Amino acid sequence: MTVRAKKHLGQHFLKDENIAQKIADSLSEVGYDHVLEIGPGMGVLTKYLLKKKPHVTVMEIDTESIAYLQETFPIENLQLDTSEKKFRIINGDFLRQNLTEIFQNKPIAIIGNYPYNISSQIVFKAIENRDMIPEFSGMFQKEVAQRITEKEGSKTYGILSVLTQAFYHAEYLFTVPPTVFNPPPKVDSGVLRLTRKENYSLPVDEKLFFRVVKTAFNQRRKMLRSSLKSFNLSLTLKEDPIFASRPEQLSVQDFITLTSKIANDGTRDH
Ligand code: SAH
């Protein structure tokens, strides 16, 4: 039995066992007992996760993969005791799941060889649920992995970098070539690890912060003075040198400072 790769689900099955092991080993296993794998496919990563200590939940949208997993990983054998299963298979779309309900607010790590077509949305959902996610790792299209981990000054630095790094330390771990997948994707892949910062709440209004970052990068070539026009900044504030910069020049800390300046701008319409 095998699963037919479906393009619309972003299915590229990893066939290199050493890389699967290396991705599983990207988890530090510190600060949680539960691991959630997104898009297990035929379970190449899952079997290495199960060798580790944590409880493993896999979430997969493809019913054919689900049937494969149920046959390959008999759940009953993996049950630790009656109250808590060691291994759970959930058939569903990760983007539509209520993580708080499923994990009853217990801390979890998220891992996966992610479907590349929804990889940014997966990261945004993890950021939204950061209260329960101390660690997040896995494989992305290389360019996306770089965008998430890049620092200011780089061409690929953008919304994803700032919003992720506001709450997580981001490390680019290693690059994976197309040849180790079936079918091979057109691009290189990159594995990263995000470790939640000790202090992961912002000293400014988070909604305003998100809005400032997104608005600034929507016109990434323009100076902030012009791209942030819709915030109705006062003339005095527009004179502040920070508004003569472009978004890719600002660090996460600079964006926090910028948000606080905008929040405290006396004459602006709120
Ligand atoms: N982890 C496997 C498969 C990677 S391919 C491996 O490394 O070989 C990506 C997987 O994500 C596929 O199995 C695909 O069916 C699944 N997937 C795609 N969209 C999903 C979604 N919204 N929620 C959960 N799984 C999804």
Side-chain angles (χ1 to χ4, degrees):
M1 187 185 180
T2 186
V3 174
R4 207 169 22 93
K6 294 160 216 74
K7 205 173 175 191
H8 71 284
L9 294 178
Q11 289 182 336
H12 295 279
F13 299 113
L14 183 62
K15 38 179 206 182
D16 186 312
E17 297 292 334
N18 286 327
I19 293 176
Q21 169 90 68
K22 260 173 86 179
I23 296 174
D25 286 345
S26 68
L27 294 177
S28 71
E29 297 183 68
V30 176
Y32 52 85
D33 297 320
H34 292 255
V35 170
L36 167 62
E37 185 191 354
I38 301 171
M42 286 186 277
V44 63
L45 209 64
T46 317
K47 61 180 182 293
Y48 296 105
L49 297 173
L50 285 168
K51 283 190 188 148
K52 297 173 162 259
K53 275 181 284 139
H55 298 259
V56 176
T57 301
V58 298
M59 211 175 264
E60 171 60 63
I61 200 168
D62 176 33
T63 43
E64 198 185 341
S65 297
I66 291 284
Y68 181 94
L69 291 167
Q70 280 168 343
E71 191 160 299
T72 325
F73 300 97
I75 302 168
E76 302 76 49
N77 301 341
L78 291 159
Q79 224 157 345
L80 271 192
D81 55 51
T82 48
S83 63
E84 204 152 23
K85 284 180 184 161
K86 172 86 173 148
F87 184 51
R88 264 198 299 189
I89 299 177
I90 297 178
N91 187 189
D93 178 349
F94 168 71
L95 297 177
R96 291 167 172 271
Q97 306 296 316
N98 182 333
L99 299 182
T100 318
E101 234 166 60
I102 294 172
F103 294 97
Q104 294 161 357
N105 259 328
K106 291 194 187 97
I108 62 170
I110 291 185
I111 191 166
N113 165 17
Y114 300 109
Y116 295 170
N117 48 341
I118 56 163
S119 56
S120 307
Q121 293 170 71
I122 291 174
V123 176
F124 284 128
K125 176 154 177 160
I127 294 173
E128 261 168 46
N129 287 277
R130 61 189 175 275
D131 282 349
M132 56 182 292
I133 309 176
E135 195 166 67
F136 179 106
S137 71
M139 184 144 60
F140 291 85
Q141 186 177 326
K142 182 182 180 185
E143 193 236 320
V144 175
Q146 283 174 327
R147 251 197 279 154
I148 296 169
T149 53
E150 227 35 287
K151 295 278 181 244
E152 66 271 19
S154 140
K155 271 210 177 98
T156 43
Y157 182 70
I159 298 175
L160 212 47
S161 339
V162 178
L163 299 187
T164 307
Q165 293 172 40
F167 308 107
Y168 288 88
H169 297 289
E171 296 164 86
Y172 186 92
L173 300 179
F174 55 92
T175 301
V176 179
T179 46
V180 299
F181 297 89
N182 182 26
K186 290 203 174 69
V187 291
D188 274 341
S189 300
V191 175
L192 58 70
R193 173 171 52 218
L194 307 177
T195 315
R196 194 174 59 194
K197 293 183 170 171
E198 209 152 293
N199 181 359
Y200 57 94
S201 61
L202 298 180
V204 291
D205 180 66
E206 280 176 15
K207 278 205 180 115
L208 184 61
F209 175 78
F210 277 58
R211 201 148 69 80
V212 167
V213 173
K214 286 180 181 166
T215 313
F217 278 107
N218 271 341
Q219 294 175 288
R220 65 178 296 141
R221 322 222 58 140
K222 291 202 176 156
M223 283 189 220
L224 298 173
R225 196 187 286 144
S226 131
S227 61
L228 297 183
K229 250 191 195 128
S230 62
F231 288 85
N232 295 323
L233 310 167
S234 67
L235 285 174
T236 338
L237 190 59
K238 272 190 266 189
E239 293 300 304
D240 188 309
I242 198 169
F243 287 93
S245 30
R246 292 182 176 78
E248 70 239 36
Q249 297 172 288
L250 301 195
S251 66
V252 170
Q253 186 52 53
D254 292 335
F255 271 107
I256 292 172
T257 307
L258 175 68
T259 305
S260 138
K261 285 182 180 187
I262 293 176
N264 296 320
D265 187 15
T267 65
R268 119 173 218 270
D269 294 334
H270 286 270

